[in-house]
């Protein structure tokens, strides 16, 4: 008890001290250099958060997620490129240190060296390390950057296993996630209503690559406070799926006032999804819900939601709406044969197949697309845009690596569905089937886009995988 009180007092005193120092320092430097004041203010806040993260790794886990989502905002405000990856690594290592040195004992029967999913993960990790010696790769620097990001995701997965020790922690995670996603959706709707803020426009204008992906037909795609419209759209689709699944709960489990809140979340998230202009995310929504509908056709609320969703989809696809760019782009996601950019992607995929057949271990990591031009200039794959997570895996890691990726994703879906059928509690079943639906949606989205490789989506996916593994061993009830 004394130890906890001491930690709490230490955190309070540090906060007070840091803010006392920060206020006059930032005020003085703001008069000299606005950009420097932003950096200093961010450093003070970051130091305070880092202290909290090191003292309380569970709270630090959520701080890390929030930082990963909003870290690009100060970068845009400063109108310069910042080492955002380094900041994320530092905070994650602080969370890891807190988890290692905490006095709390972990009670778990997870078979870390026998579990099939984890064994595939270990095998895939070893394959990533072997890629360092891939003779087709020109640069070692690209591999170092790739493996750093991979280790970050690897650590986050195991931290999730540590943080989610019971259903109360899982409830807390889903509440936190839906609040964070709704906040992002509201900010995205605000961007659509009043336009991008001046510092956001300036940052996009000074970055040609960002300009090409954000501005489409003279209109900006909305990205909220996330990295880009693609990441924003994918997460809005995932969050909307979870909310729709929870909406089918009985009134005894979720009361009408709470369902109104869920409806509000769904509306703003679907609006934000539409404004993101991410066609892959448009497809994710029905794909994820189809899995949910198939296993819950016996539920009356599920049939009602399925009917409303189907009617809305048909109205958007075939209704007399021709003036909205958002609706037009939504239709092209389901009528790809009429869209030249989608047809061009299929042509590119067929043209690169001989390379895949002749390179079983691939061309090496960070050799495809813009990454290839940066780290492996002159490589056969440099500049080639895969537009697919699976195609990138096949090109960079070969068909051997693609098999490992497919096995890993399959096992994740298998665990989630198996957990659903083992559980008896209604709320638990809804959360578990929502996890399975989101995983399935991301799995399908990987065909058209690198949906699982985006920073924000990879964090969410690894969190769901960690929860799924934890539930399999500690929380599911066999019938």
């Amino acid at each position: 008890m004394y130890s906890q009180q001491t930690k709490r007092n230490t955190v309070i005193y540090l906060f007070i001290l840091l803010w006392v120092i920060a206020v006059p320092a930032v005020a003085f430097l703001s008069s000299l250099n606005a950009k420097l004041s932003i950096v200093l203010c961010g450093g003070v806040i970051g130091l305070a958060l880092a202290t909290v993260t090191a003292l309380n790794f569970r709270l630090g886990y959520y701080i890390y997620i929030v930082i990963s989502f909003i870290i690009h905002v100060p970068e845009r405000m400063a109108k310069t490129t910042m080492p955002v990856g380094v900041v994320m690594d530092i905070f994650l290592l602080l969370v890891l240190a807190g988890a290692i040195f905490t006095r709390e004992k972990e009670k778990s029967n997870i078979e870390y060296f026998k579990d099939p999913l984890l064994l595939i993960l270990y095998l895939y990790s070893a394959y990533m390390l072997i890629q360092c010696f891939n003779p087709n790769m020109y640069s070692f620097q690209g591999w170092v950057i790739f493996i750093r990001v991979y280790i970050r995701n690897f650590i986050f997965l195991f931290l999730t296993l540590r943080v989610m020790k019971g259903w109360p922690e899982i409830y807390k995670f889903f509440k936190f996630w839906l609040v964070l996603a709704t906040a992002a959706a509201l900010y995205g709707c605000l961007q659509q209503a009043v336009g991008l803020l001046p510092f956001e426009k300036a940052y996009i204008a000074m970055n040609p690559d960002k300009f090409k992906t954000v501005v489409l037909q003279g209109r900006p795609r909305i990205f909220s406070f996330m990295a880009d419209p693609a990441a924003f759209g994918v997460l809005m689709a995932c969050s909307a799926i979870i909310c729709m699944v929870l909406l089918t709960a009985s009134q005894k489990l979720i009361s009408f006032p709470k369902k109104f809140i869920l409806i509000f979340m769904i509306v703003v998230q679907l609006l934000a999804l539409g404004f993101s202009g991410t066609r892959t995310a448009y497809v994710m929504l029905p794909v994820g819900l189809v899995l949910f509908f198939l296993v819950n056709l016996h539920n009356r609320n599920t049939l009602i939601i399925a009917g409303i969703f189907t009617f809305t989809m048909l109205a958007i696809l075939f209704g007399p709406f021709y003036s909205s760019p958002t609706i037009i782009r939504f239709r092209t996601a389901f009528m790809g044969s009429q869209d030249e950019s989608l047809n061009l992607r299929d042509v590119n995929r067929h043209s690169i197949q001989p390379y895949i057949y002749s390179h079983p271990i691939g061309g090496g990591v960070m050799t495809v697309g813009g990454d290839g031009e940066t780290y492996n200039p002159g490589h056969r794959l440099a500049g080639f845009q895969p537009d697919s997570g699976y195609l990138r895996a096949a090109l960079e890691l070969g068909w051997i690596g693609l098999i490992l990726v497919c096995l890993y994703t399959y096992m994740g879906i298998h665990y989630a569905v198996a957990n659903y059928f083992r559980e008896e509690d209604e709320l638990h079943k809804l959360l578990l089937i929502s996890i399975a639906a989101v995983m399935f949606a991301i799995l399908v989205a990987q065909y058209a886009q690198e949906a699982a490789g985006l920073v924000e989506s990879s964090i969410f996916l690894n969190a769901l995988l960690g929860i799924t593994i934890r539930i399999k061993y500690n929380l599911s009830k066999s019938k």
Side-chain angles (χ1 to χ4, degrees):
M1 183 68 183
Y2 175 76
S3 177
Q4 292 179 351
Q5 185 64 35
T6 303
K7 287 182 178 180
R8 191 178 298 110
N9 291 338
T10 302
V11 172
I12 293 174
Y13 294 149
L14 281 172
F15 265 119
I16 295 174
L17 178 61
L18 288 171
W19 281 113
V20 167
I21 297 172
V23 171
V26 171
F28 172 73
L29 291 173
S30 295
S31 62
L32 303 177
N33 190 315
K35 203 176 280 189
L36 182 61
S37 68
I38 294 174
V39 173
L40 178 62
C41 186
V44 172
I45 296 174
L47 183 59
L49 292 177
T51 304
V52 175
T53 298
L55 294 176
N56 187 337
F57 78 93
R58 296 185 186 279
L59 179 58
Y61 176 86
Y62 292 101
I63 292 175
Y64 171 76
I65 295 176
V66 174
I67 289 174
S68 301
F69 275 53
I70 67 172
I71 197 167
H72 292 281
V73 174
E75 185 180 39
R76 293 167 188 150
M77 294 178 70
K79 300 177 184 178
T80 185
T81 302
M82 294 182 178
V84 294
V86 175
V87 175
M88 292 176 60
D89 292 341
I90 291 173
F91 271 94
L92 187 63
L93 290 176
L94 287 171
V95 179
L96 179 62
I100 292 174
F101 296 108
T102 183
R103 296 182 180 179
E104 176 186 332
K105 294 183 179 180
E106 181 185 8
K107 296 180 180 180
S108 172
N109 60 348
I110 297 176
E111 299 176 344
Y112 286 100
F113 299 103
K114 293 183 180 179
D115 181 78
L117 178 60
L118 292 178
L119 289 177
I120 295 173
L121 177 61
Y122 301 150
L123 181 61
Y124 181 72
S125 302
Y127 188 74
M128 290 294 101
L129 295 176
I130 294 173
Q131 280 290 320
C132 173
F133 306 101
N134 191 325
N136 302 312
M137 189 170 56
Y138 294 172
S139 170
F140 181 73
Q141 182 185 3
W143 179 85
V144 171
I145 293 175
F146 178 89
I147 207 68
R148 192 190 81 184
V149 175
Y150 178 79
I151 292 174
R152 182 195 303 161
N153 293 331
F154 188 90
I155 293 173
F156 184 79
L157 172 64
F158 282 89
L159 283 173
T160 302
L161 292 174
R162 186 70 189 277
V163 172
M164 305 299 165
K165 63 178 182 178
W167 280 110
E169 286 75 18
I170 295 174
Y171 298 156
K172 184 186 300 182
F173 172 80
F174 275 97
K175 290 177 182 177
F176 163 81
W177 183 267
L178 293 180
V179 170
L180 182 62
T182 304
L186 288 171
Y187 186 64
C189 292
L190 179 65
Q191 285 180 324
Q192 178 69 21
V194 303
L196 300 179
L197 295 178
F199 71 87
E200 293 170 333
K201 292 180 180 178
Y203 181 75
I204 293 171
M206 65 180 287
N207 193 325
D209 292 333
K210 287 287 183 184
F211 186 86
K212 292 177 183 178
T213 57
V214 172
V215 179
L216 184 68
Q217 297 177 348
R219 296 172 60 90
R221 295 171 59 194
I222 300 305
F223 48 82
S224 187
F225 45 69
M226 298 184 191
D228 52 45
F232 180 52
V234 167
L235 290 185
M236 289 300 100
C238 294
S239 301
I241 289 172
I242 296 173
C243 289
M244 289 185 181
V245 170
L246 293 176
L247 195 60
T248 65
S250 63
Q251 183 181 352
K252 181 180 178 181
L253 181 64
I254 300 180
S255 62
F256 279 125
K258 292 182 179 179
K259 286 191 176 184
F260 282 127
I261 296 175
L262 283 174
I263 292 173
F264 170 76
M265 289 181 173
I266 292 170
V267 170
V268 295
Q269 287 168 9
L270 290 181
L271 286 173
L273 170 61
F275 298 147
S276 73
T278 308
R279 286 182 294 202
T280 302
Y282 297 160
V283 178
M284 287 176 61
L285 189 63
V287 166
L289 290 176
V290 162
L291 176 64
F292 167 67
F293 293 152
L294 287 176
V295 299
N296 280 277
L297 288 176
H298 60 280
N299 188 301
R300 182 178 64 88
N301 290 347
T302 301
L303 293 176
I304 294 173
I305 296 295
I308 295 173
F309 180 79
T310 303
F311 175 80
T312 304
M313 284 286 294
L314 292 174
I316 294 175
L317 290 175
F318 303 106
F321 314 113
Y322 307 106
S323 60
S324 172
T326 300
I327 293 179
I328 293 173
R329 186 164 177 82
F330 182 88
R331 287 171 176 170
T332 62
F334 298 91
M335 302 174 184
S337 60
Q338 302 175 15
D339 188 271
E340 290 301 324
S341 65
L342 296 179
N343 294 334
L344 180 61
R345 292 182 183 184
D346 290 333
V347 172
N348 290 338
R349 289 168 182 169
H350 287 294
S351 68
I352 205 66
Q353 285 179 355
Y355 185 91
I356 299 174
Y357 299 145
S358 60
H359 293 77
I361 62 171
V365 297
M366 304 293 276
T367 57
V368 177
D371 294 331
E373 293 178 334
T374 302
Y375 301 105
N376 291 273
H379 196 282
R380 167 68 176 84
L381 302 177
F384 179 86
Q385 299 300 328
D387 294 315
S388 168
Y390 299 122
L391 183 56
R392 176 180 281 272
L395 291 173
E396 293 189 341
L397 307 177
W399 50 265
I400 296 176
L402 179 61
I403 291 174
L404 291 175
V405 170
C406 291
L407 282 174
Y408 185 64
T409 53
Y410 164 75
M411 291 301 296
I413 295 289
H414 172 74
Y415 276 32
V417 174
N419 285 340
Y420 168 78
F421 285 107
R422 280 198 298 263
E423 190 54 65
E424 298 176 352
D425 183 85
E426 182 185 359
L427 178 57
H428 297 172
K429 290 179 75 70
L430 288 175
L431 291 177
L432 291 172
I433 196 59
S434 67
I435 291 175
V438 168
M439 285 185 178
F440 183 66
I442 294 177
L443 180 149
V444 174
Q446 277 284 91
Y447 176 77
Q449 186 174 323
E450 298 173 56
L454 304 170
V455 174
E456 295 88 347
S457 60
S458 65
I459 286 175
F460 187 44
L461 182 59
N462 281 297
L464 294 183
L465 282 169
I467 291 172
T468 300
I469 296 171
R470 168 65 78 173
I471 290 172
K472 175 189 175 182
Y473 286 96
N474 296 89
L475 305 175
S476 286
K477 296 179 181 179
S478 300
K479 291 184 177 181

